[in-house]
Amino acid sequence: MRILGIIVVILTGALLIYAMGDFPSWADPASPAHNHVSPRYIEKSLEQTSVPNIVTAVLADYRGYDTMFETTVVFAAGVVCFFLLRIPRKDEPTVRRYRHTLTGMTIRVKETRQIPPVLEEFERIDTLWAPHDLIIKTCCRILVPFLQLFGLYVIAHGHHSPGGGFQGGVILGASMILLAISHDLRTAIGRMSERVHAILCPAGVFIYAGTGALCMVLGLNFLDYGALAGILHVDPVTARSHGILIVEIGVGLAVMATMIWIYNNISSKGKYDEGL
Amino acid sequence: MSQHYPALLVIVPLLSALLISIVGWLNKRFCFPIAVAALSVSLYSSVGLLLRVMDEKVILYFLGGWDPPWGIAYSVDHLSALVLVVVSVVALLNLIATQKSVEQEFSEKIGAFYTLYLLLITGLLGIVVTGDAFNLYVLLEITALTGYGLIAMGEDRAPLASLNYVYMGTIGACFYLLGIGYLYISTGSLNMTNISSILPGLYDSKVVLAAFIICIVGVFLKMAFFPLHAWLPNAYTYAPSAVSSLVAPLMTKVMIYVMIRLMLTVFTPAFTFSNLALSNSVVWLAVIAISMGAVLALGARDMKKMLCYVVIAEVGYMVGGAWLGNRAGMTGAILHIANDALMTLCVFLAVGNIVYKVRGYAFEDLKGMFRKMPYTMTGLVAGALSMIGVPPTCGFFSKWYLISGGIQAGQYGFVAALVFSSLINAVLFFRIIEIGYYEPFGADHGHGSSPVRMAEAPLTMVVPLLIVAGGLVMMGVYTGDIITHIIEPIIPPAIGN
């Protein structure tokens, strides 16, 4: 079986190397990939979409339909993680640990959902609890707002520089995950509950697909942002640029929420109470 | 509105999936009605497209208003319209038929289940309707990802089976993507019609040859064509019954559609059948696939696994028929996409009903089943007759075309394999009928034992099953019309008799 596997791998590799013989040479300006569709993207994209960044124009407009489904793939990954991992609340362990903040004494509470609120100086801790490092905690807390600001900048600036919804969304998501890692999962969930990110995720994709459907309702083809000109009170070419910004915001929301959703599900093994 | 059918077909299920995902957090009861409404719109649009395609031949739809090859275009011809109707019919009937068992199995996560269900259908419809080779890959990803998730929610070994499927499916999708990359290197285009107009000058290029082989192997992996079938039996057996009755009829069939699309549209029949000396070997692989599928089905210990091996044999039918290189074979293969989707749905729905009632699908669970669930068993028998190929069910007609194609091409091995597999199917299904009909009488000789009570599955499960069973006969009766109006125009004149 092993030998058979090696033979198959060698044969496939041989086929691929054999095919390389007819590849256009490296950086050949005459190769088909440089001469068929690319020239129009390079020469016309600014004039047709008023977006200076060609990559953004191709990604979100000429081939925006693919990008919509790529966002859907991200969303689907989030739903699958939730579907497979999330354990309904009733299966939660019945033992919870609390730490007395003044003395450092820990107690275990069985069966009850929460300890009485009068005992304010007790804080809930994870099973594998380690004392938090004040330096890490403080640094990360200071870092998070700047990360989020940068994430918003990356989303908004995709028209002019490298960036866009996917990258910005990842940075936004990472900021929440940083909070969860430096503090604990409950703090992060306290900032953004499960319901919020689980609804933001489809809502982000909905902004994308909904914009496309709106173009259809307004009389042009699906995702033909030119149709938005009437609503936005601009000419059709500028409307394309604005349309791209709208869908990038949708992508950003979807990617951010999915990152958090997947992280929370995996790190807490679907229980949403404690984890990394 | 009718000019937007190609987009509506895909967009409505997508938007509804997102809506369900949101609504699922607020009120679970709305999930199912939204899903039914979405798939009804898809069905309506695909039937509308089929009717339009008969007059207009090819319908194009430019997404984003960009003309191809710069933008992405949908292009619907007879072949895609036929498969679209099949996909949306199967998806809608299965959705309604499995409502109860979904409630039983996923009461907590109904929103997520229907979200994934609709995304899977979005992916399948998108694969069929698209005219862009890369867009096809993106939708392949959606279909695969949601499929993995749905399958992994099944019983005991389902997560492992799904993981196996993840590995194999990912390799298959990567191969397809690599092939498209090679095509892009040599043509600079991703639009299928555009590629096919550039390619004829490049047929001697090694890159194009490698691209074709890699794409086809990737698609073979995805459709579980022997010897790349190992992931399928476990994945489809351990999947929840609502999922196996969705993926078993549709996934493999849509992949066969992709293969035929690659063979006829992206590449020309002349290249596929003449430039390459592959046809013969693929047909022989199909012969092995059919025989192995049949033999393994005979050795299966339970009903679902047996049906999974039958699915593998059926894949062999269609691949073999398509690669025979003559009109009859191609007609048989395309007709069999529709027929096989319906009959696989029929038998899997019947098994789903049995699982719902007795919570098992081993052969022993079938004892006395004709008394207990007479309507479900009627459906199962109709599906079984069609799989065996008894007229007037539709299975007979597609098999007839495949066999006559095999004879015309002089591929007697293929003909023999088809006959062999039909005989094995007869043995398989009569064994089930025997257990279901006679077993309790043999056991207690009828002495004072309480007769088996009738305990049929709910009406919402039985009615769709019987509709499908009736559909099998209707498809058989109208085979002639389907072939002259829909299938004949698909096959390019380059494929001779």
Side-chain angles (χ1 to χ4, degrees):
Chain A
M1 206 58 198
R2 223 179 131 156
I3 296 169
L4 196 70
I6 290 171
I7 293 172
V8 170
V9 168
I10 289 173
L11 281 180
T12 315
L15 175 71
L16 296 181
I17 290 170
Y18 166 77
M20 275 171 60
D22 279 357
F23 272 9
S25 50
W26 181 250
D28 178 8
S31 76
H34 294 154
N35 287 304
H36 190 54
V37 290
S38 313
R40 179 161 152 189
Y41 291 148
I42 295 169
E43 287 159 14
K44 296 277 179 65
S45 68
L46 185 60
E47 170 189 330
Q48 286 178 329
T49 64
S50 91
V51 175
N53 186 346
I54 300 170
V55 175
T56 306
V58 175
L59 175 117
D61 199 349
Y62 290 102
R63 297 192 68 87
Y65 194 63
D66 275 343
T67 312
M68 182 181 85
F69 280 114
E70 288 295 355
T71 320
T72 313
V73 170
V74 173
F75 162 67
V79 180
V80 167
C81 270
F82 165 80
F83 189 55
L84 294 181
L85 293 175
R86 185 77 170 97
I87 300 165
R89 185 148 297 153
K90 59 178 184 246
D91 295 342
E92 268 187 33
T94 47
V95 178
R96 292 179 168 205
R97 279 150 221 273
Y98 291 88
R99 176 170 173 274
H100 191 239
T101 40
L102 303 176
T103 60
M105 179 185 69
T106 57
I107 54 167
R108 292 198 305 173
V109 181
K110 276 189 185 171
E111 301 297 331
T112 42
R113 284 237 165 272
Q114 256 157 8
I115 61 167
V118 270
L119 302 172
E120 278 174 351
E121 57 270 33
F122 280 93
E123 61 166 2
R124 173 120 188 257
I125 55 167
D126 293 354
T127 321
L128 295 170
W129 182 79
H132 285 297
D133 190 333
L134 189 66
I135 296 173
I136 293 179
K137 235 171 145 175
T138 315
C139 283
C140 292
R141 210 170 51 217
I142 295 171
L143 214 53
V144 165
F146 289 106
L147 271 176
Q148 288 174 340
L149 207 59
F150 183 60
L152 291 176
Y153 164 79
V154 171
I155 293 180
H157 219 252
H159 283 48
H160 298 275
S161 60
F166 286 99
Q167 296 83 339
V170 167
I171 297 174
L172 284 178
S175 72
M176 288 303 285
I177 293 176
L178 182 67
L179 194 67
I181 293 176
S182 62
H183 293 64
D184 56 7
L185 193 63
R186 279 185 304 278
T187 316
I189 293 173
R191 295 283 169 139
M192 185 186 262
S193 72
E194 180 184 21
R195 185 181 276 229
V196 170
H197 56 244
I199 288 180
L200 271 183
C201 183
V205 190
F206 201 92
I207 291 176
Y208 202 140
T211 311
L214 186 63
C215 301
M216 201 150 83
V217 173
L218 293 174
L220 290 182
N221 278 3
F222 186 78
L223 273 181
D224 192 337
Y225 306 123
L228 301 174
I231 301 181
L232 300 171
H233 304 295
V234 285
D235 60 299
V237 175
T238 319
R240 287 192 169 275
S241 168
H242 291 341
I244 292 174
L245 182 63
I246 297 172
V247 302
E248 292 276 20
I249 291 170
V251 172
L253 273 182
V255 171
M256 174 196 72
T258 312
M259 293 257 307
I260 300 170
W261 206 7
I262 293 179
Y263 172 81
N264 288 357
N265 268 310
I266 291 180
S267 67
S268 69
K269 301 195 186 88
K271 289 185 204 137
Y272 262 77
D273 58 348
E274 57 183 56
L276 213 70
Chain B
M1 210 55 198
S2 75
Q3 84 272 18
H4 289 305
Y5 279 162
L8 279 179
L9 183 82
V10 180
I11 293 314
V12 171
L14 174 67
L15 285 173
S16 316
L18 301 168
L19 203 62
I20 287 175
S21 181
I22 297 171
V23 168
W25 286 93
L26 309 172
N27 191 338
K28 291 195 169 68
R29 271 179 309 162
F30 293 127
C31 297
F32 177 73
I34 296 176
V36 171
L39 289 183
S40 309
V41 172
S42 290
L43 178 60
Y44 179 78
S45 331
S46 54
V47 171
L49 271 180
L50 183 64
L51 296 177
R52 264 183 69 197
V53 127
M54 298 223 199
D55 304 328
E56 300 172 36
K57 303 278 185 265
V58 178
I59 299 172
L60 293 174
Y61 186 87
F62 300 157
L63 291 148
W66 298 111
D67 43 342
W70 293 277
I72 295 167
Y74 271 180
S75 104
V76 183
D77 59 3
H78 288 79
L79 177 59
S80 27
L82 175 71
V83 181
L84 285 175
V85 173
V86 169
V87 171
S88 37
V89 165
V90 170
L92 182 61
L93 282 174
N94 185 60
L95 180 72
I96 296 168
T98 56
Q99 187 205 357
K100 297 273 184 219
S101 78
V102 171
E103 274 173 14
Q104 191 185 48
E105 289 183 53
F106 306 106
S107 56
E108 291 276 344
K109 295 176 182 168
I110 282 197
F113 178 86
Y114 283 124
T115 305
L116 292 177
Y117 190 106
L118 283 188
L119 285 180
L120 179 65
I121 302 305
T122 308
L124 290 173
L125 290 171
I127 289 175
V128 178
V129 78
T130 193
D132 189 277
F134 182 75
N135 189 238
L136 196 154
Y137 167 75
V138 176
L139 287 147
L140 202 64
E141 255 186 295
I142 292 189
T143 316
L145 187 58
T146 48
Y148 305 144
L150 288 171
I151 286 172
M153 272 308 261
E155 35 168 345
D156 52 356
R157 282 170 61 192
L160 187 64
S162 179
L163 186 67
N164 204 355
Y165 182 20
V166 170
Y167 293 147
M168 301 300 272
T170 309
I171 295 173
C174 284
F175 269 37
Y176 176 80
L177 182 63
L178 192 61
I180 296 304
Y182 274 32
L183 283 181
Y184 185 76
I185 286 176
S186 44
T187 63
S189 175
L190 290 171
N191 183 274
M192 288 185 190
T193 13
N194 194 239
I195 292 176
S196 79
S197 65
I198 300 173
L199 273 185
L202 299 165
Y203 277 154
D204 297 328
S205 157
K206 292 175 207 159
V207 185
V208 173
L209 176 72
F212 181 76
I213 294 176
I214 299 171
C215 277
I216 290 284
V217 171
V219 175
F220 277 170
L221 232 167
K222 279 276 185 191
M223 70 170 77
F225 182 56
F226 188 87
L228 307 170
H229 68 283
W231 56 268
L232 186 141
N234 279 342
Y236 286 11
T237 304
Y238 298 119
S241 50
V243 176
S244 28
S245 55
L246 177 73
V247 291
L250 291 184
M251 293 277 237
T252 49
K253 262 46 89 183
V254 168
M255 285 303 128
I256 290 185
Y257 160 83
V258 174
M259 181 191 73
I260 293 179
R261 178 62 70 203
L262 284 173
M263 287 163 67
L264 298 186
T265 308
V266 180
F267 294 86
T268 50
F271 175 79
T272 311
F273 297 118
S274 317
N275 287 30
L276 295 178
L278 281 177
S279 313
N280 239 332
S281 4
V282 176
V283 172
W284 275 108
L285 269 182
V287 170
I288 303 172
I290 298 170
S291 325
M292 288 302 285
V295 171
L296 290 170
L298 208 53
R301 297 279 179 81
D302 60 61
M303 233 180 346
K304 247 177 148 178
K305 194 156 264 177
M306 179 194 101
L307 292 175
C308 289
Y309 284 115
V310 172
V311 167
I312 290 172
E314 303 275 343
V315 169
Y317 287 20
M318 285 173 272
V319 176
W323 283 86
L324 283 174
N326 57 27
R327 289 195 88 80
M330 196 54 96
T331 310
I334 294 169
L335 184 61
H336 205 68
I337 291 181
N339 291 350
D340 192 43
L342 275 189
M343 57 208 202
T344 316
L345 176 69
C346 186
V347 287
F348 271 92
L349 278 185
V351 172
N353 286 4
I354 294 170
V355 172
Y356 180 75
K357 270 314 205 194
V358 301
R359 306 234 164 197
Y361 48 80
F363 288 127
E364 299 86 64
D365 293 325
L366 286 172
K367 286 175 185 166
M369 214 29 109
F370 274 91
R371 284 283 179 84
K372 213 168 160 187
M373 306 174 72
Y375 300 113
T376 297
M377 291 307 276
T378 313
L380 184 64
V381 169
L385 290 178
S386 185
M387 287 222 158
I388 298 165
V390 179
T393 54
C394 57
F396 168 76
F397 296 96
S398 41
K399 219 169 259 188
W400 177 259
Y401 275 96
L402 289 172
I403 289 182
S404 49
I407 294 173
Q408 282 170 27
Q411 295 279 8
Y412 292 102
F414 184 63
V415 177
L418 282 174
V419 174
F420 173 68
S421 131
S422 308
L423 289 177
I424 297 272
N425 278 357
V427 173
L428 290 172
F429 286 109
F430 278 108
R431 185 168 65 180
I432 289 179
I433 292 169
E434 191 201 341
I435 298 173
Y437 205 83
Y438 295 112
E439 285 272 320
F441 297 94
D444 52 27
H445 304 283
H447 288 302
S449 66
S450 59
V452 183
R453 285 261 200 81
M454 186 166 146
E456 187 53 84
L459 215 55
T460 51
M461 301 181 83
V462 174
V463 172
L465 172 64
L466 292 180
I467 292 175
V468 180
L472 291 176
V473 179
M474 294 301 284
M475 285 285 284
V477 172
Y478 289 105
T479 297
D481 290 324
I482 296 173
I483 287 181
T484 43
H485 295 301
I486 303 173
I487 298 184
E488 273 297 316
I490 297 171
I491 304 169
I495 300 183
N497 292 316

